[in-house]
């Protein structure tokens, strides 16, 4: 925790230590489905060591499962977001047997056990039988608002032994019944290569973060969106808004930054569409597969960041940019309005509203002082609410609720 102390205020530090002290004898476990890759692993990598550091014995275990199981859980994930593929008897059986095997193999006893996402939820009934004293928490990182009913029923059928469920926003879990719902916002880690000050990077990371090595002109205005190539992130809308902006600010440049997903055919298709839409405009840059330090450099170096999503979970990219004192023009969806206060650290626009998006972007690009003020406010927003220590405090508070 000492490494984070320059990023948190005295009151938060004291609160963390006080609640942690109440749980000096608590054993906490987390189970998820992968040790790396994906947002859940990223959160656990930061949060688990910190919980141990403040004195709460916290363990992280990863499920043992094969591709067949993950095919099934991907279908479940999609169904919970509105996908219509049928969940067959065979698929249910694969899910059931693998989750039971994992629950039977667990050889540690915890006071509070957090099962992350639908992959691990099936372990709950067996765990409840084996460890009746353990409080079981389901941390669902998915928004269930538009879940297909069959998938919602499937999840609901495993919730009986669950004591509490945790969602990113309370409304994401409104459709489930019979469990207490808590909310924990995600957070960003200020000590990682993605979020540290650029001056602290060295070697390859410093080189990757150096804006001079990117193909645009660093003396001209730069608008950046960092997002997977996904229709819900509205990359085509970003280009449309950028074209409107260019009419008033002809030297503006746009960078669309996203991973090129080799294993995601939809992502490749969206990338091709974006490429076609960008055409031969020399001021639209599609940048793929950048290392974290490269993302860091762009989020610091951009004059403003766009997050023009049509739908969002939380949008970590917003906090990442705000932390770097870069104002964000973001859509009023999902977790974005939690992070952006209109006119204070950026602007909120209605999804699909190209005209307002362009208007807010022009307003910012034309006013250095406004950008600076909003940028400074943005860093404060993130410091207060969206850094890892706050999430650690939320998990400690969850322990109190689960044990209470
Ligand atoms: N990201 C990245 N490289 C990319 C695009 C995205 O590292 O090319 C990161 C981004 O910095 C953020 C995460 O992926 O940390 C995306 O999280 P977010 O909550 O914004 O969106 P999601 O992809 O989960 O919908």
């Amino acid at each position: 925790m000492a490494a984070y102390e320059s990023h948190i205020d005295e009151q938060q530090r004291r609160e963390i230590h006080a609640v942690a002290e109440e749980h000096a004898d608590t054993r906490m476990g987390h189970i998820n489905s992968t040790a790396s890759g994906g947002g859940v692993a990223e959160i656990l990598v930061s949060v688990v060591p910190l919980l141990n550091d403040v004195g709460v014995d916290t363990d992280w275990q990863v499920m043992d499962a094969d591709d067949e199981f993950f095919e099934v859980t991907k279908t479940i994930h999609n169904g919970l977001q509105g996908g219509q593929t049928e969940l067959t008897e065979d698929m249910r059986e694969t899910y059931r047997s693998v989750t039971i095997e994992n629950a039977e193999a667990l050889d540690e006893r915890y006071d509070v056990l957090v099962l992350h996402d639908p992959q691990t939820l099936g372990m709950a009934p067996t765990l409840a039988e084996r460890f009746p004293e353990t409080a079981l928490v389901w941390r669902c990182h998915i928004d269930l608002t538009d879940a297909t009913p069959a998938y919602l029923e499937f999840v609901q059928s495993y919730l009986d032994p669950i004591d509490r469920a945790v969602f990113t926003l309370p409304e994401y879990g409104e459709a489930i019944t019979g469990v207490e719902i808590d909310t924990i916002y995600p957070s960003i880690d200020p000590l990682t290569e993605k979020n540290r000050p650029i001056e602290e990077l060295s070697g390859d990371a410093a080189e990757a973060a150096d804006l001079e090595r990117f193909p645009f002109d660093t003396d001209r205005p730069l608008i950046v969106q960092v997002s997977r190539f996904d229709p819900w992130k509205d990359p085509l809308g970003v280009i449309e808004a950028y074209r409107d902006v260019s009419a008033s600010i002809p030297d503006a440049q746009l960078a669309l930054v996203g991973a090129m997903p080799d294993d995601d055919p939809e992502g490749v298709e969206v990338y091709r569409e974006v490429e076609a839409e960008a055409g031969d405009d020399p001021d639209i840059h599609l940048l793929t597969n950048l290392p974290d330090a490269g993302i860091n450099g762009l989020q610091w170096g951009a004059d403003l960041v766009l997050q023009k999503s049509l739908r969002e979970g939380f949008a970590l990219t917003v906090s990442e940019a705000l932390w770097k004192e870069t104002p964000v023009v973001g859509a009023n969806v999902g977790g974005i309005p939690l992070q952006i206060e209109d006119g204070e650290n950026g602007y909120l626009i209605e999804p699909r509203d190209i005209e307002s998006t362009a208007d807010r972007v022009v307003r910012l690009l034309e006013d250095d002082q406004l950008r600076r003020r909003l940028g400074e406010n943005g860093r404060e927003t993130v410091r207060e609410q969206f850094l890892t220590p706050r999430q650690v405090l939320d998990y400690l508070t969850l322990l109190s609720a689960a044990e209470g």
Side-chain angles (χ1 to χ4, degrees), residues 138-144 165-174 176 181-185:
W138 184 43
R139 174 43 170 132
C140 179
H141 298 265
I142 303 175
D143 173 3
L144 302 184
V166 180
F167 288 87
T168 298
L169 291 177
E171 54 267 36
Y172 288 2
E174 252 167 27
I176 62 168
I181 302 241
D182 297 296
T183 304
I184 296 186
Y185 301 153

CSV table of all heavy atoms in Angstrom, one decimal, residues 138-144 165-174 176 181-185:
chain,number,residue,atom,x,y,z
A,138,TRP,N,-21.1,-13.7,-5.3
A,138,TRP,CA,-20.9,-13.7,-6.8
A,138,TRP,C,-20.6,-12.3,-7.3
A,138,TRP,O,-21.4,-11.4,-7.1
A,138,TRP,CB,-22.2,-14.2,-7.5
A,138,TRP,CG,-22.0,-14.4,-9.0
A,138,TRP,CD1,-21.0,-14.9,-9.6
A,138,TRP,CD2,-23.0,-14.1,-10.0
A,138,TRP,NE1,-21.2,-14.9,-11.0
A,138,TRP,CE2,-22.4,-14.4,-11.2
A,138,TRP,CE3,-24.3,-13.5,-10.0
A,138,TRP,CZ2,-23.1,-14.2,-12.5
A,138,TRP,CZ3,-24.9,-13.3,-11.2
A,138,TRP,CH2,-24.3,-13.7,-12.4
A,139,ARG,N,-19.5,-12.1,-7.9
A,139,ARG,CA,-19.1,-10.8,-8.5
A,139,ARG,C,-19.3,-11.0,-10.0
A,139,ARG,O,-18.5,-11.6,-10.7
A,139,ARG,CB,-17.6,-10.5,-8.2
A,139,ARG,CG,-17.0,-9.2,-8.8
A,139,ARG,CD,-17.9,-8.0,-8.8
A,139,ARG,NE,-17.3,-6.8,-9.2
A,139,ARG,CZ,-17.8,-6.0,-10.1
A,139,ARG,NH1,-19.0,-6.3,-10.8
A,139,ARG,NH2,-17.3,-4.8,-10.4
A,140,CYS,N,-20.4,-10.4,-10.4
A,140,CYS,CA,-20.7,-10.4,-11.9
A,140,CYS,C,-20.3,-9.2,-12.5
A,140,CYS,O,-20.7,-8.1,-12.2
A,140,CYS,CB,-22.2,-10.6,-12.0
A,140,CYS,SG,-22.7,-10.7,-13.8
A,141,HIS,N,-19.4,-9.3,-13.5
A,141,HIS,CA,-18.8,-8.1,-14.2
A,141,HIS,C,-19.6,-7.8,-15.4
A,141,HIS,O,-19.3,-6.9,-16.2
A,141,HIS,CB,-17.3,-8.4,-14.5
A,141,HIS,CG,-16.5,-8.6,-13.4
A,141,HIS,ND1,-15.7,-7.6,-12.7
A,141,HIS,CD2,-16.2,-9.7,-12.6
A,141,HIS,CE1,-15.1,-8.1,-11.7
A,141,HIS,NE2,-15.3,-9.4,-11.6
A,142,ILE,N,-20.7,-8.5,-15.6
A,142,ILE,CA,-21.5,-8.3,-16.8
A,142,ILE,C,-22.8,-7.5,-16.5
A,142,ILE,O,-23.3,-7.7,-15.4
A,142,ILE,CB,-21.9,-9.7,-17.4
A,142,ILE,CG1,-20.7,-10.5,-17.7
A,142,ILE,CG2,-22.8,-9.5,-18.7
A,142,ILE,CD1,-21.1,-11.9,-18.2
A,143,ASP,N,-23.2,-6.7,-17.5
A,143,ASP,CA,-24.5,-6.0,-17.3
A,143,ASP,C,-25.6,-7.0,-17.8
A,143,ASP,O,-25.7,-7.4,-18.9
A,143,ASP,CB,-24.4,-4.8,-18.3
A,143,ASP,CG,-25.7,-4.1,-18.4
A,143,ASP,OD1,-26.7,-4.4,-17.7
A,143,ASP,OD2,-25.8,-3.1,-19.1
A,144,LEU,N,-26.5,-7.3,-16.8
A,144,LEU,CA,-27.6,-8.3,-17.1
A,144,LEU,C,-28.9,-7.6,-17.6
A,144,LEU,O,-29.9,-8.3,-17.8
A,144,LEU,CB,-27.9,-9.1,-15.9
A,144,LEU,CG,-26.7,-9.9,-15.3
A,144,LEU,CD1,-27.2,-10.8,-14.1
A,144,LEU,CD2,-26.1,-10.8,-16.4
A,165,ALA,N,-24.6,-10.6,-4.2
A,165,ALA,CA,-24.1,-10.5,-5.6
A,165,ALA,C,-23.6,-9.0,-5.8
A,165,ALA,O,-24.2,-8.1,-5.2
A,165,ALA,CB,-25.2,-10.8,-6.6
A,166,VAL,N,-22.5,-8.9,-6.5
A,166,VAL,CA,-21.9,-7.6,-6.7
A,166,VAL,C,-21.9,-7.3,-8.1
A,166,VAL,O,-21.4,-8.1,-9.0
A,166,VAL,CB,-20.4,-7.6,-6.1
A,166,VAL,CG1,-19.8,-6.2,-6.3
A,166,VAL,CG2,-20.4,-8.0,-4.7
A,167,PHE,N,-22.4,-6.1,-8.5
A,167,PHE,CA,-22.4,-5.6,-9.9
A,167,PHE,C,-21.6,-4.3,-10.0
A,167,PHE,O,-21.4,-3.6,-9.0
A,167,PHE,CB,-23.8,-5.4,-10.4
A,167,PHE,CG,-24.5,-6.7,-10.6
A,167,PHE,CD1,-25.2,-7.4,-9.6
A,167,PHE,CD2,-24.5,-7.3,-11.9
A,167,PHE,CE1,-25.8,-8.6,-9.8
A,167,PHE,CE2,-25.1,-8.6,-12.1
A,167,PHE,CZ,-25.8,-9.2,-11.0
A,168,THR,N,-21.3,-3.9,-11.2
A,168,THR,CA,-20.6,-2.6,-11.4
A,168,THR,C,-21.5,-1.4,-11.2
A,168,THR,O,-21.2,-0.4,-10.7
A,168,THR,CB,-20.0,-2.6,-12.8
A,168,THR,OG1,-19.0,-3.6,-12.9
A,168,THR,CG2,-19.4,-1.3,-13.2
A,169,LEU,N,-22.8,-1.6,-11.6
A,169,LEU,CA,-23.8,-0.6,-11.3
A,169,LEU,C,-25.1,-1.4,-10.8
A,169,LEU,O,-25.3,-2.5,-11.2
A,169,LEU,CB,-24.3,0.1,-12.6
A,169,LEU,CG,-23.3,1.0,-13.3
A,169,LEU,CD1,-23.8,1.6,-14.6
A,169,LEU,CD2,-22.9,2.2,-12.3
A,170,PRO,N,-25.8,-0.8,-9.9
A,170,PRO,CA,-27.0,-1.5,-9.3
A,170,PRO,C,-27.9,-2.0,-10.3
A,170,PRO,O,-28.5,-3.1,-10.2
A,170,PRO,CB,-27.6,-0.5,-8.3
A,170,PRO,CG,-26.8,0.7,-8.3
A,170,PRO,CD,-25.6,0.6,-9.3
A,171,GLU,N,-28.2,-1.2,-11.4
A,171,GLU,CA,-29.2,-1.6,-12.4
A,171,GLU,C,-28.8,-2.8,-13.2
A,171,GLU,O,-29.6,-3.5,-13.7
A,171,GLU,CB,-29.6,-0.5,-13.3
A,171,GLU,CG,-28.5,0.2,-14.0
A,171,GLU,CD,-28.0,1.5,-13.3
A,171,GLU,OE1,-27.9,1.4,-12.0
A,171,GLU,OE2,-27.6,2.4,-13.9
A,172,TYR,N,-27.5,-3.1,-13.2
A,172,TYR,CA,-27.0,-4.3,-14.0
A,172,TYR,C,-27.5,-5.6,-13.4
A,172,TYR,O,-27.5,-6.6,-14.1
A,172,TYR,CB,-25.5,-4.3,-14.0
A,172,TYR,CG,-24.8,-3.3,-14.9
A,172,TYR,CD1,-25.6,-2.3,-15.5
A,172,TYR,CD2,-23.4,-3.2,-15.1
A,172,TYR,CE1,-25.0,-1.3,-16.3
A,172,TYR,CE2,-22.8,-2.3,-15.9
A,172,TYR,CZ,-23.6,-1.3,-16.5
A,172,TYR,OH,-23.0,-0.3,-17.2
A,173,GLY,N,-27.9,-5.6,-12.1
A,173,GLY,CA,-28.3,-6.8,-11.5
A,173,GLY,C,-29.8,-6.8,-11.1
A,173,GLY,O,-30.2,-7.7,-10.4
A,174,GLU,N,-30.5,-5.8,-11.6
A,174,GLU,CA,-31.9,-5.7,-11.2
A,174,GLU,C,-32.8,-6.9,-11.5
A,174,GLU,O,-33.8,-7.2,-10.9
A,174,GLU,CB,-32.5,-4.4,-11.8
A,174,GLU,CG,-32.8,-3.3,-10.8
A,174,GLU,CD,-33.1,-2.0,-11.5
A,174,GLU,OE1,-33.6,-2.0,-12.7
A,174,GLU,OE2,-32.8,-1.0,-10.9
A,176,ILE,N,-32.1,-10.1,-11.3
A,176,ILE,CA,-32.0,-11.3,-10.5
A,176,ILE,C,-32.7,-11.0,-9.2
A,176,ILE,O,-32.9,-9.9,-8.7
A,176,ILE,CB,-30.6,-11.8,-10.3
A,176,ILE,CG1,-29.7,-10.7,-9.6
A,176,ILE,CG2,-29.9,-12.1,-11.7
A,176,ILE,CD1,-28.4,-11.3,-9.1
A,181,ILE,N,-27.8,-7.2,-3.3
A,181,ILE,CA,-26.9,-6.7,-4.4
A,181,ILE,C,-26.0,-5.5,-3.8
A,181,ILE,O,-26.5,-4.6,-3.2
A,181,ILE,CB,-27.7,-6.1,-5.5
A,181,ILE,CG1,-28.6,-7.3,-6.0
A,181,ILE,CG2,-26.8,-5.5,-6.6
A,181,ILE,CD1,-28.5,-7.7,-7.4
A,182,ASP,N,-24.7,-5.6,-4.1
A,182,ASP,CA,-23.8,-4.5,-3.8
A,182,ASP,C,-23.2,-4.0,-5.1
A,182,ASP,O,-23.3,-4.7,-6.1
A,182,ASP,CB,-22.6,-5.1,-2.9
A,182,ASP,CG,-23.1,-5.6,-1.5
A,182,ASP,OD1,-23.6,-4.8,-0.8
A,182,ASP,OD2,-23.0,-6.8,-1.3
A,183,THR,N,-22.7,-2.8,-5.0
A,183,THR,CA,-22.1,-2.2,-6.2
A,183,THR,C,-20.6,-2.0,-5.9
A,183,THR,O,-20.2,-1.4,-4.8
A,183,THR,CB,-22.7,-0.9,-6.5
A,183,THR,OG1,-24.1,-1.1,-6.6
A,183,THR,CG2,-22.2,-0.3,-7.8
A,184,ILE,N,-19.7,-2.4,-6.8
A,184,ILE,CA,-18.3,-2.0,-6.7
A,184,ILE,C,-17.9,-1.5,-8.1
A,184,ILE,O,-18.0,-2.2,-9.1
A,184,ILE,CB,-17.4,-3.2,-6.3
A,184,ILE,CG1,-17.8,-3.6,-4.9
A,184,ILE,CG2,-16.0,-2.8,-6.4
A,184,ILE,CD1,-16.8,-4.7,-4.3
A,185,TYR,N,-17.5,-0.2,-8.2
A,185,TYR,CA,-17.0,0.3,-9.5
A,185,TYR,C,-15.6,-0.3,-9.7
A,185,TYR,O,-14.8,-0.5,-8.8
A,185,TYR,CB,-16.8,1.8,-9.4
A,185,TYR,CG,-18.0,2.6,-9.1
A,185,TYR,CD1,-17.9,3.9,-8.5
A,185,TYR,CD2,-19.3,2.2,-9.4
A,185,TYR,CE1,-19.0,4.7,-8.2
A,185,TYR,CE2,-20.4,2.9,-9.1
A,185,TYR,CZ,-20.3,4.2,-8.5
A,185,TYR,OH,-21.3,4.9,-8.2
